[in-house]
Amino acid sequence: MILRAIPILVCLSLPAAAQTASEGARLAAGKLATAARQLDEAGGASDRVAALTAVIRAYEDGLSALRDGLRQVARRESSLTAVLSAREAEVARLVAALQAMERAPGPLLLLHPSGPLGTARASMMLAEVTPALDARADELRVALADLRDLRLLQESAADSLEEGLAGVQEARVALSEAIAERTDLPARMTDDGARIAALLGRVDTLEAFADGLGTLPGTEETELTLPLPAPAAGTLLHGFDEADAAGIARPGLVLAVPPAAIVTAPAAGTVRYAGPLLDYGNVIILEPEPATLLVFAGLDEVYARQAEILAPGAPLGLMGGAAPDAVDFLLGTVGGGGASRSETLYIEVRQGGRPVDPATWFAIE
């Protein structure tokens, strides 16, 4: 029985994976704690809008990292539990063998019915088997300790999650209030509101509207360093000219972003348009340099104002959708989904009136 118990825990030697998953979740919890401190300090900041925008981004980064960390933890726990369950009988035999060796008197373990030669051979085999058996027992202890630690980590992460979700929502409300109350408004260029309104009345596509904007007086020459940061944290759904499920291909990128995610200016520029446009929802068109337009469509709440000259990282607005609660968030870590649907942000880049692939402009995963 002792010899048969030797190989059963080879598949359990995965402490490095458990450590990686645990560290990821703990790192995320640290990011959320940092965001909470930043939120406390934002009230006294000289530029509350910029401070709160940074706080929201920090919270979103921490919550995204926490989701990824908890997914790793859940996968590791599931894998470890499956291995232990599948080998439950063999683990029981290992435990029984260890208990038998512990109870048996030392001299009796060396006796063999075939006499001194058999006893010598048995002693040699036992000398070889015992270290391996002890090693496998240590691996079992490590695996069980990993499983316990992973479950404790999931429980403790729930507190960080609750605080993080409450904190980011508080920061979003505070940002909306700060923008409504601000007196140090961004600089503005000459507002072509009347011409833009006339343009809206005669176009029926985003392309035509953007082309029309390109004929109006633009911004001064600036220098851009590519790639620009992504306007919102998200994952790529459809690439440039890539057809979606309905077979529609657009000359831009479609990102899946969390509900209520903040959208920020990836570069300094002039807001050429901000508001509803056709069937794109709220659209913001930013001109970072002459003859270049960055189009962001699908926002729910718009902070930017037409003709404003914005700094890099300035808040453009928020995506729609209901922010997930803790239960829904945790469901998403297990199955990769959850009840909350992601929102879609459409990004288009136009140079000289022609669309170019935004993937060459933005750092998007």
Side-chain angles (χ1 to χ4, degrees), residues 62-243:
L63 288 169
S64 177
L66 183 61
R67 185 189 297 276
D68 292 341
L70 287 177
R71 280 176 177 164
Q72 292 181 30
V73 168
R75 286 195 293 267
R76 168 60 180 160
E77 180 194 16
S78 177
S79 173
L80 202 53
T81 301
V83 170
L84 288 171
S85 298
R87 296 177 176 269
E88 185 175 358
E90 294 177 89
V91 171
R93 287 201 298 271
L94 171 63
V95 173
L98 293 172
Q99 290 176 339
M101 291 178 63
E102 184 178 11
R103 289 195 302 267
L108 292 181
L109 291 175
L110 302 178
L111 295 180
H112 197 277
S114 62
L117 182 58
T119 298
R121 289 174 176 171
S123 298
M124 293 173 62
M125 292 177 63
L126 189 60
E128 293 179 358
V129 165
T130 301
L133 197 61
D134 288 341
R136 296 299 181 265
D138 288 339
E139 290 176 2
L140 175 60
R141 283 191 287 269
V142 169
L144 292 174
D146 286 347
L147 190 59
R148 181 200 62 218
D149 291 345
L150 291 172
R151 288 174 176 168
L152 288 174
L153 181 61
Q154 288 174 318
E155 294 175 5
S156 64
D159 293 335
S160 296
L161 173 60
E162 289 278 5
E163 294 172 1
L165 291 174
V168 71
Q169 185 58 29
E170 180 183 346
R172 288 171 181 145
V173 172
L175 176 60
S176 296
E177 293 174 349
I179 288 177
E181 297 169 357
R182 63 182 173 178
T183 56
D184 54 337
L185 296 176
R188 294 169 67 90
M189 64 175 289
T190 302
D191 192 348
D192 292 298
R195 297 174 66 180
I196 290 176
L199 180 62
L200 281 171
R202 66 174 185 265
V203 300
D204 57 2
T205 66
L206 173 60
E207 180 179 1
F209 181 70
D211 288 344
L213 281 181
T215 65
L216 302 180
T219 60
E220 297 179 357
E221 186 71 39
T222 57
E223 183 176 347
L224 294 176
T225 301
L226 302 182
L228 300 175
T235 56
L236 183 64
L237 282 182
H238 302 293
F240 182 72
D241 275 341
E242 180 182 341

Side-chain angles (χ1 to χ4, degrees), residues 246-268:
I248 300 174
R250 300 183 187 276
L253 304 181
V254 179
L255 294 185
V257 298
I262 193 167
V263 182
T264 56

Side-chain angles (χ1 to χ4, degrees), residues 52-64 67 165 168-169 171-173 175-176 179 230-235 255-265 282 284 296-304 313-324 329 340-347:
L52 288 167
T53 300
V55 167
I56 294 174
R57 269 296 177 95
Y59 267 119
E60 290 180 349
D61 182 46
L63 288 169
S64 177
R67 185 189 297 276
L165 291 174
V168 71
Q169 185 58 29
R172 288 171 181 145
V173 172
L175 176 60
S176 296
I179 288 177
T235 56
L255 294 185
V257 298
I262 193 167
V263 182
T264 56
N282 282 318
I284 293 178
F296 308 108
L299 289 81
D300 181 68
E301 186 172 354
V302 173
Y303 293 146
L316 298 179
L318 295 178
M319 298 300 294
F329 188 98
S340 290
R341 298 174 54 186
S342 62
E343 298 294 306
T344 54
L345 176 66
Y346 178 69
I347 303 174

